[in-house]
Amino acid sequence: MVTRGKIDVEGRLVDASNVTLFCKIELDGVTGDVVYKPVSGERPLWDFPDGTLAGREVATAMVAEASGLGAIPPTVLRDGPFGPGMVQLWIETTEEELVDVRSPESLPDDWRVVLHAHDRDGEPAVLAHADRQGMRELAVLDIVVNNTDRKGGHLLAGVDGRIYGVDHGICLHTDPKLRTVLWGWIGERLTEAEVGKLRGLRERLDGEFGEALSEHLTGFEIRALAERTDALLTEGVFPAPGDDWRAIPWPLF
């Protein structure tokens, strides 16, 4: 449906940095909701001069699908009411909290602490996230796609029980830029299943899948994706933040 359905714009999501439209989609009498981000509405970024943000969103979804790491809603690059853009299926969500800033005493036992801080009254507070397998796999995906903006609001608890990742327009840069709220597994070893998915991705990058990515990414970016995958397989553990850039996005949500 997201590939061929007729798109009708319903409204604009005003909190987004670039033009992001909520739309109805219809195909053969079946209707649904999608997010449409036209390329014409993208704000230029000096450090992402190549390709389009829409193309990077699609490329990240392609990597997730090819590897089986994490869940990203069906995402395509296609024509829409305002020209070519990213079209992604809208996900119905629950009210489950996945990332939050709380007092240490109110933190659930199964949550992972990312950062210790103090609130505006000087009381202790922590940035933390739930320990869910779907989130852990998205954290692995973020490492290989070099996600520069994994905010808490980019993680959705679907009504189907899955955890979805959205908003991947500034991923897949050649330089290290990982910026995320999902630092809760630092130093932990990857599972056999995660290693297997990474190995499968690495093999595909040398074949037709790597060629398919070239529609959205430069050759240097695809090579950097392969190198990050190799490095993660070699280390076998979740990395710690680097010292050369801010490792947590702001705002957090």
Side-chain angles (χ1 to χ4, degrees):
M1 178 185 292
V2 293
T3 303
R4 298 189 294 113
K6 180 180 180 296
I7 296 173
D8 290 313
V9 176
E10 296 269 305
R12 180 173 178 177
L13 305 180
V14 296
D15 291 337
S17 300
N18 298 283
V19 175
T20 302
L21 304 172
F22 177 77
C23 307
K24 291 291 184 182
I25 192 168
E26 185 272 333
L27 180 65
D28 297 333
V30 178
T31 61
D33 299 321
V34 295
V35 173
Y36 165 49
K37 299 181 181 180
V39 173
S40 60
E42 293 182 1
R43 181 182 62 182
L45 298 175
W46 67 267
D47 53 342
F48 283 85
D50 298 308
T52 65
L53 305 187
R56 292 179 186 279
E57 292 228 41
V58 173
T60 301
M62 291 170 63
V63 172
E65 183 177 6
S67 65
L69 287 168
I72 294 178
T75 307
V76 299
L77 187 68
R78 55 162 288 184
D79 199 28
F82 297 101
M86 184 223 71
V87 176
Q88 184 176 81
L89 187 68
W90 178 269
I91 297 298
E92 296 297 330
T93 62
T94 70
E95 295 183 358
E96 179 184 3
E97 294 284 354
L98 298 174
V99 181
D100 204 359
V101 176
R102 303 185 180 184
S103 66
E105 295 79 13
S106 67
L107 197 67
D109 292 338
D110 59 347
W111 275 44
R112 301 277 182 140
V113 173
V114 174
L115 180 69
H116 291 269
H118 292 84
D119 64 20
R120 65 183 63 186
D121 297 321
E123 296 298 321
V126 292
L127 169 65
H129 60 72
D131 189 356
R132 296 277 299 274
Q133 182 59 33
M135 294 173 67
R136 179 181 166 114
E137 289 201 357
L138 282 169
V140 177
L141 176 70
D142 284 347
I143 295 166
V144 294
V145 301
N146 199 17
N147 192 345
T148 260
D149 194 36
R150 175 64 78 196
K151 292 182 171 69
H154 298 170
L155 297 158
L156 309 178
V159 296
D160 59 0
R162 305 181 76 189
I163 305 297
Y164 290 90
V166 297
D167 286 327
H168 300 106
I170 48 177
C171 292
L172 296 158
H173 200 284
T174 55
D175 298 335
K177 288 177 176 285
L178 182 60
R179 186 176 296 123
T180 175
V181 295
L182 296 179
W183 287 112
W185 296 280
I186 290 174
E188 292 195 11
R189 296 207 64 82
L190 300 173
T191 65
E192 290 185 7
E194 290 160 353
V195 169
K197 291 177 179 182
L198 288 168
R199 286 175 177 161
L201 170 63
R202 186 61 186 86
E203 291 173 2
R204 291 181 178 90
L205 286 171
D206 288 333
E208 293 182 359
F209 177 65
E211 296 176 5
L213 285 175
S214 65
E215 179 180 349
H216 309 294
L217 305 173
T218 67
F220 291 113
E221 289 167 339
I222 296 171
R223 185 182 308 164
L225 169 61
E227 291 173 350
R228 287 191 298 270
T229 306
D230 285 337
L232 186 54
L233 282 167
T234 298
E235 294 295 328
V237 299
F238 282 84
D243 296 326
D244 299 330
W245 66 93
R246 179 166 48 87
I248 296 177
W250 189 264
L252 299 171
F253 300 94

